[in-house]
């Protein structure tokens, strides 16, 4: 597995290494306003101290001419400097809908995660027993764990062995939980540009800038307001960076992924990365660079077998790799063909943590994730998963 420490360990030094520059130019008030909004890297704040603009950000970031926001005026008036990265085309990409208008009418009304009879039965049991008080106490402890402050942004990578394992669903559940409980900005990055479904899962209506686009634009001296102009705003102070515009195009390379993650991590308390399936190169780099890893696996015999083989392989890597990995075992049907608890214990024997996500009709439908429609066991399991993954990320600097 590639070693991500050659760039991750020097993130803060790299971000502080470019001093802000003052240039006395007579380019009018538009440029002065853009320069006034930028922060010097020397004034870098922790993610918890940085707050995004309360109003929804426009799709077209502020800027003059074809120069994107965040570029210093010296780029056009100072001495010529050989470019160090690919320059963004003068024409910005057009906004595209997440779901084609011809397909919007095919979706049925979303249904709750469990039947009405199951919900009524669960409510009655909670009334006549003491389980309600225990659940409240557990949720309080879990929320406190998720809300712990961070000094530098935590990166959590979510991947799987094959497609259809539920990794995008798990990434959406984690990002939604962190955005609900935390007060600092949360970012969800789609590092799977091959027609990934994360924007659909998160309820985004349209897409414009992609991970590869932003990798060539974002710079350390940009403010959070500049950065969020390229992102899709989500509820609860969360933001999305899509991997594609719903079209098959150029794949994301490791260099672009490293640039965008190094540049963005200081703006967000938690970043959840929806990676490609293993053994793709970007997924391997993301796993090695993240402070915690989630391996999504279906609760089937072949899913357990392949996941167990990967965990055995990870045992030969540095200890923190397996210790910082959590398996999200997803029940694909209401009656799995295996003993899920026995399978989870077998996976735990490798040193990885395991959480079981129960079958949920709302998640199985594959549309927009609406937390109010999730079954109560699913919400509780997802919150516990988010808390343990975050705790593991805190142990790795």
């Amino acid at each position: 597995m590639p070693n991500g420490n050659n760039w991750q360990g020097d993130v803060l030094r790299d971000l502080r290494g470019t001093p802000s520059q003052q240039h006395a130019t007579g380019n009018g008030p538009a440029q002065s306003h853009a320069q006034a909004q930028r922060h010097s890297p020397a004034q870098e704040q922790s993610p918890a101290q940085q707050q995004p603009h309360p109003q929804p950000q426009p799709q077209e970031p502020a800027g003059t001419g074809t120069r994107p926001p965040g570029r210093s005026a010296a780029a056009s008036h100072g001495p010529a400097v050989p470019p160090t990265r690919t320059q963004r085309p003068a024409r910005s990409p057009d906004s595209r809908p997440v779901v084609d208008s011809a397909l919007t009418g095919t979706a049925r009304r979303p249904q709750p995660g469990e039947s009405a009879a199951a919900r009524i039965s669960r409510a009655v049991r909670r009334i006549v027993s003491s389980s309600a008080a225990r659940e409240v106490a557990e949720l309080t402890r879990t929320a406190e764990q998720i809300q712990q402050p961070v000094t530098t942004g935590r990166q959590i990578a979510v991947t799987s062995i094959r497609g259809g394992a539920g990794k995008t669903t798990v990434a959406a559940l984690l990002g939604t939980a962190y955005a609900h409980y935390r007060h600092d900005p949360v970012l969800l990055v789609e590092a799977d540009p091959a027609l990934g479904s994360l924007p659909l899962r998160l309820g985004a209506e349209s897409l414009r800038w992609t991970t590869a686009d932003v990798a060539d634009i974002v710079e350390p001296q940009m403010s959070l307001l500049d950065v969020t102009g390229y992102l899709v705003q989500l509820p609860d102070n969360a933001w999305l960076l899509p991997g594609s515009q719903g079209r098959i195009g150029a794949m994301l390379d490791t260099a672009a992924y490293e640039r965008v993650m190094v540049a963005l991590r200081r703006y967000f308390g938690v970043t959840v990365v929806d990676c490609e399936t293993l053994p793709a190169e970007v997924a391997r780099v993301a796993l090695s660079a993240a402070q915690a890893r989630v391996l999504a696996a279906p609760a089937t015999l072949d899913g357990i077998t392949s996941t167990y083989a990967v965990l055995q392989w990870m045992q030969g890597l540095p200890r923190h790799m397996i210790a910082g990995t959590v398996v999200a075992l997803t029940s694909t049907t209401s009656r799995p063909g295996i003993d899920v608890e026995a399978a989870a214990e077998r996976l735990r024997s490798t040193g990885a943590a395991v959480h079981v996500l129960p079958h949920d009709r709302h998640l199985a439908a594959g549309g927009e994730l609406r937390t109010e429609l999730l079954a109560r066991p699913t919400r509780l399991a997802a919150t516990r998963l988010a808390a343990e993954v975050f705790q593991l990320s805190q142990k790795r600097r």
Side-chain angles (χ1 to χ4, degrees):
M1 176 177 292
N3 181 9
N5 293 333
N6 61 342
W7 58 276
Q8 181 197 3
D10 296 329
V11 168
L12 295 180
R13 177 181 58 79
D14 293 342
L15 290 176
R16 295 192 181 101
T18 307
S20 61
Q21 298 180 357
Q22 302 290 338
H23 294 275
T25 58
N27 290 336
Q31 180 176 348
S32 299
H33 176 71
Q35 288 179 339
Q37 289 184 342
R38 302 189 187 106
H39 297 298
S40 167
Q43 299 172 343
E44 179 181 336
Q45 297 175 326
S46 67
Q49 294 174 314
Q50 300 189 36
Q51 296 296 329
H53 199 279
Q55 299 298 326
Q57 303 303 318
Q59 291 294 330
E60 179 63 31
T64 57
T66 59
R67 179 168 57 87
R71 302 284 190 186
S72 65
S76 55
H77 295 277
V81 178
T84 58
R85 64 177 66 167
T86 304
Q87 299 298 316
R88 180 173 68 87
R91 183 180 180 276
S92 61
D94 296 326
S95 179
R96 291 176 57 87
V98 173
V99 180
D100 191 277
S101 58
L103 300 176
T104 53
T106 62
R108 293 180 177 178
R109 182 178 179 180
Q111 60 180 345
E114 57 185 352
S115 64
R119 296 197 299 273
I120 294 174
S121 175
R122 190 181 308 281
V124 171
R125 290 197 304 270
R126 294 180 69 243
I127 291 174
V128 300
S129 68
S130 60
S131 61
R134 290 196 300 270
E135 284 186 5
V136 170
E138 181 186 0
L139 281 175
T140 301
R141 291 193 300 269
T142 304
E144 291 175 351
Q145 292 175 344
I146 297 177
Q147 292 170 348
Q148 290 181 8
V150 296
T151 53
T152 58
R154 304 288 88 187
Q155 295 181 15
I156 298 169
V158 183
T159 188
S160 62
I161 309 303
R162 57 179 176 82
K167 72 174 180 63
T168 298
T169 299
V170 171
L173 286 171
L174 289 176
T176 302
Y178 295 135
H180 176 73
Y181 285 104
R182 296 189 61 81
H183 300 293
D184 47 12
V186 173
L187 176 65
L188 291 100
V189 175
E190 187 177 44
D192 185 0
L195 300 179
S197 58
L198 186 60
L200 175 63
R201 272 308 211 185
L202 294 173
E205 296 181 357
S206 61
L207 307 175
R208 189 168 190 178
W209 304 94
T210 67
T211 306
D213 295 330
V214 175
D216 293 326
I217 296 173
V218 67
E219 292 182 347
Q221 69 266 29
M222 295 173 68
S223 69
L224 180 60
L225 181 62
D226 292 326
V227 170
T228 54
Y230 294 105
L231 308 177
V232 178
Q233 188 171 21
L234 301 171
D236 291 329
N237 205 21
W239 305 86
L240 166 67
L241 180 56
S244 69
Q245 287 192 324
R247 295 176 296 186
I248 298 177
M251 300 300 289
L252 180 69
D253 57 51
T254 57
Y257 175 80
E258 291 173 359
R259 287 201 305 272
V260 76
M261 295 304 292
V262 168
L264 291 181
R265 68 175 293 174
R266 76 185 183 100
Y267 299 99
F268 301 93
V270 180
T271 299
V272 179
V273 185
D274 181 17
C275 302
E276 299 173 287
T277 56
L278 290 171
E281 187 68 16
V282 173
R284 297 169 67 185
V285 171
L287 289 178
S288 64
Q291 284 85 23
R293 290 150 291 280
V294 179
L295 193 60
T300 60
L301 183 58
D302 60 333
I304 295 297
T305 302
S306 57
T307 302
Y308 185 67
V310 170
L311 293 176
Q312 287 181 313
W313 168 72
M314 292 180 68
Q315 287 180 315
L317 301 175
R319 173 62 186 168
H320 73 270
M321 292 297 296
I322 192 73
T325 299
V326 180
V327 177
L329 198 57
T330 305
S331 297
T332 56
T333 63
S334 57
R335 295 178 60 88
I338 62 171
D339 185 336
V340 177
E341 291 302 326
E345 285 301 319
R346 185 59 178 171
L347 295 178
R348 291 190 185 102
S349 67
T350 63
V354 180
H355 281 259
V356 178
L357 294 177
H359 175 68
D360 189 289
R361 298 188 308 176
H362 178 61
L363 291 180
E368 177 186 352
L369 191 157
R370 294 173 54 181
T371 54
E372 72 274 12
L373 294 180
L374 293 175
R376 184 172 183 82
T378 305
R379 292 199 300 269
L380 294 175
T383 306
R384 296 188 194 105
L385 171 64
E388 176 152 9
V389 173
F390 182 75
Q391 289 297 302
L392 292 177
S393 74
Q394 290 281 65
K395 297 178 181 179
R396 182 69 180 171
R397 298 301 174 184

